[in-house]
């Protein structure tokens, strides 16, 4: 999803397209990988003096519910990134810098055979480690 699509979705759902909301979405559209609420507030503080964690978390939760952002848990903390909607894939996530690499392989074909009598409603497959850049540091 890109910034324009995300803003249009907000408007279509009846939410105001405020400057803060656009700046939050622009941040995620521009960064590679998962980022924390703290990363976001550090980025926004220059242009939105006094912005609160409550505002940040409220918007992050809204964007996640709407499918604009996806989340994962890294080192006990919730991380966010712009939702990848172009095709079904999974991610390698760097534990150090949060950058991601798409993985087009999906283990669900094998899992569905193993769970033939079960109604699978969704899945998430992630691999964690260090990217080449973080390995060389």
């Amino acid at each position: 999803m890109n910034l324009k699509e995300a803003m249009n979705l907000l408007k279509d759902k009846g939410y105001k397209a405020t400057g803060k909301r656009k700046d939050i979405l622009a941040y995620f559209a521009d960064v590679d990988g998962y980022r924390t609420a703290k990363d976001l507030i550090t980025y926004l503080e220059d242009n939105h003096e006094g912005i609160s964690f409550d505002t940040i978390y409220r918007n992050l939760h809204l964007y996640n519910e709407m499918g604009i952002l996806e989340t994962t848990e890294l080192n006990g903390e919730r991380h966010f990134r712009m939702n990848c909607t172009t095709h079904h894939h999974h991610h390698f996530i760097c534990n150090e810098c949060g950058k991601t690499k798409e993985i087009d392989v999906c283990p669900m074909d094998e899992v569905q055979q193993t769970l033939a009598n079960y109604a699978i409603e969704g899945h998430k497959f992630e691999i964690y480690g260090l990217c080449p850049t973080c390995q060389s540091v």
Side-chain angles (χ1 to χ4, degrees):
M1 181 170 295
N2 64 37
L3 177 59
K4 185 177 179 180
E5 291 169 333
M7 292 303 293
N8 286 338
L9 182 58
L10 275 176
K11 290 176 191 175
D12 291 346
K13 297 288 184 178
Y15 292 95
K16 292 180 182 176
T18 65
K20 283 181 191 172
R21 286 188 170 148
K22 185 174 183 179
D23 288 348
I24 290 170
L25 291 173
Y27 172 73
F28 286 103
D30 289 342
V31 296
D32 176 22
Y34 286 93
R35 298 292 180 255
T36 65
K38 185 177 179 179
D39 296 332
L40 176 61
I41 203 164
T42 299
Y43 169 80
L44 292 174
E45 284 177 327
D46 289 341
N47 293 327
H48 301 281
E49 189 175 321
I51 192 166
S52 69
F53 269 106
D54 185 48
T55 298
I56 296 296
Y57 280 110
R58 192 172 47 253
N59 281 286
L60 290 174
H61 182 71
L62 171 67
Y63 299 156
N64 180 244
E65 279 185 353
M66 294 177 71
I68 294 171
L69 295 180
E70 57 187 55
T71 66
T72 195
E73 185 95 6
L74 290 172
N75 304 319
E77 188 173 9
R78 199 167 184 193
H79 287 63
F80 302 85
R81 69 170 272 140
M82 192 67 84
N83 198 351
C84 307
T85 57
T86 55
H87 65 283
H88 181 81
H89 64 275
H90 300 283
H91 294 114
F92 170 88
I93 304 169
C94 181
N95 285 324
E96 187 66 32
C97 68
K99 288 184 180 177
T100 60
K101 178 166 177 50
E102 288 185 10
I103 303 168
D104 290 323
V105 175
C106 180
M108 286 308 293
D109 290 337
E110 188 174 323
V111 171
Q112 285 176 324
Q113 291 174 7
T114 304
L115 299 173
N117 295 327
Y118 293 80
I120 298 170
E121 296 178 347
H123 73 280
K124 188 172 188 174
F125 178 69
E126 296 173 338
I127 297 175
Y128 305 94
L130 296 176
C131 69
T133 302
C134 291
Q135 286 181 58
S136 65
V137 174

